[in-house]
Amino acid sequence: MSASENAKQTLLIIEIPRDELAFRIAQKCIGATAPLGTNATQALDEMDKMGGVLPMGESFRRAADAAVIYVHECLNAGRQPS
């Protein structure tokens, strides 16, 4: 495997924590804040308890999934500069 192939493959193997990304999206969209000592998962779970057709925390998790899929598509469509 060439150095550029290895670098590209390494770039694609990154962990993006779903709930952390989802909560960061929620922070920007609705100004959400979590009480001190609360992690992203707990904050999203609390949002889910608010009810609604689609629980709010779950909707932000779906937004995070869509964002990760889009970034993955962009990376896969990228080309190595010559």
Side-chain angles (χ1 to χ4, degrees):
M1 181 179 305
S2 73
S4 64
E5 289 171 334
N6 187 35
K8 185 175 181 181
Q9 190 172 41
T10 301
L11 178 65
L12 296 177
I13 303 173
I14 59 171
E15 181 181 355
I16 301 173
R18 181 186 194 215
D19 284 357
E20 184 63 34
L21 177 59
F23 189 64
R24 289 181 185 214
I25 292 169
Q27 287 175 311
K28 296 298 181 182
C29 288
I30 63 170
T33 58
L36 192 60
T38 302
N39 64 35
T41 299
Q42 293 166 330
L44 292 167
D45 289 345
E46 286 299 314
M47 287 181 193
D48 282 342
K49 292 178 184 177
M50 293 179 186
V53 177
L54 179 63
M56 191 179 300
E58 181 59 25
S59 67
F60 285 115
R61 286 178 171 112
R62 289 181 180 198
D65 292 343
V68 169
I69 290 168
Y70 176 68
V71 169
H72 182 75
E73 289 170 357
C74 289
L75 291 171
N76 283 338
R79 293 191 173 46
Q80 186 70 24
S82 52

